[in-house]
Amino acid sequence: MAGTTLDVTVDRVVDGDTIRVMLDGQSESIRILSLDTEEVFQSGSKPVTPMGKKASERANELVKSGDKVKLRFPGTEPVEEAVKKYRGNFGRLLVWVELEDGTDFQEVMIKEGLSPYFMKYGHAEYSFLRQRYEDA
């Protein structure tokens, strides 16, 4: 599969498109690419919505504290460089998440109608992901 990957342990789910993982002994915030779920916390002008709560609940069903997941970065740089390079507005890592059993977290959330295939950071860089998300 394409892209630099990193196996990590889940610290906790924040909401439908953000989780925290343990990286170098510290809890690190992950912004999951290709998703944009509605809000579960009041944030600026965005309201909290029932769909945001549903997305967060589903994320909590898919991943739990202590679970192992694979992070996939948009590029092929060494892990140390990718961890520095792929960060969003709030300093969160920008990655795709694959569950330990190989399930594509993003595909599940899109397929179940909990998020559109969101392209704020552009289309998924890898054609196999882009096609999967468009089909979902």
Side-chain angles (χ1 to χ4, degrees):
M1 292 257 178
T4 300
T5 62
L6 178 62
D7 294 322
V8 296
T9 302
V10 173
D11 179 19
R12 65 183 175 89
V13 171
V14 175
D15 60 24
D17 57 25
T18 307
I19 63 174
R20 294 192 70 88
V21 299
M22 298 307 294
L23 187 62
D24 296 328
Q26 300 290 322
S27 182
E28 176 86 39
S29 187
I30 304 299
R31 173 60 168 87
I32 302 171
L33 289 170
S34 301
L35 295 182
D36 188 31
T37 61
E38 294 184 18
E39 302 303 315
V40 293
F41 302 105
Q42 185 61 44
S43 170
S45 63
K46 294 182 179 181
V48 173
T49 67
M51 186 58 84
K53 291 178 182 178
K54 188 173 180 180
S56 183
E57 289 169 4
R58 183 63 173 129
N60 274 288
E61 291 170 3
L62 291 169
V63 293
K64 304 210 178 314
S65 178
D67 285 358
K68 305 289 185 204
V69 297
K70 182 181 298 291
L71 306 181
R72 183 175 310 281
F73 292 90
T76 57
E77 300 84 357
V79 169
E80 300 77 20
E81 186 177 333
V83 166
K84 292 177 185 170
K85 180 177 180 180
Y86 298 105
R87 297 211 175 247
N89 302 355
F90 303 106
R92 299 177 292 183
L93 285 175
L94 303 174
V95 296
W96 292 282
V97 175
E98 182 180 303
L99 307 183
E100 193 169 23
D101 67 1
T103 299
D104 183 315
F105 182 89
Q106 299 74 205
E107 183 179 19
V108 171
M109 297 295 278
I110 295 167
K111 218 177 242 188
E112 293 182 5
L114 299 168
S115 175
Y117 169 31
F118 185 64
M119 297 167 279
K120 178 178 182 176
Y121 302 101
H123 286 285
E125 280 80 354
Y126 310 115
S127 59
F128 73 97
L129 291 179
R130 181 176 180 174
Q131 190 61 55
R132 186 183 295 166
Y133 303 152
E134 287 177 352
D135 290 348

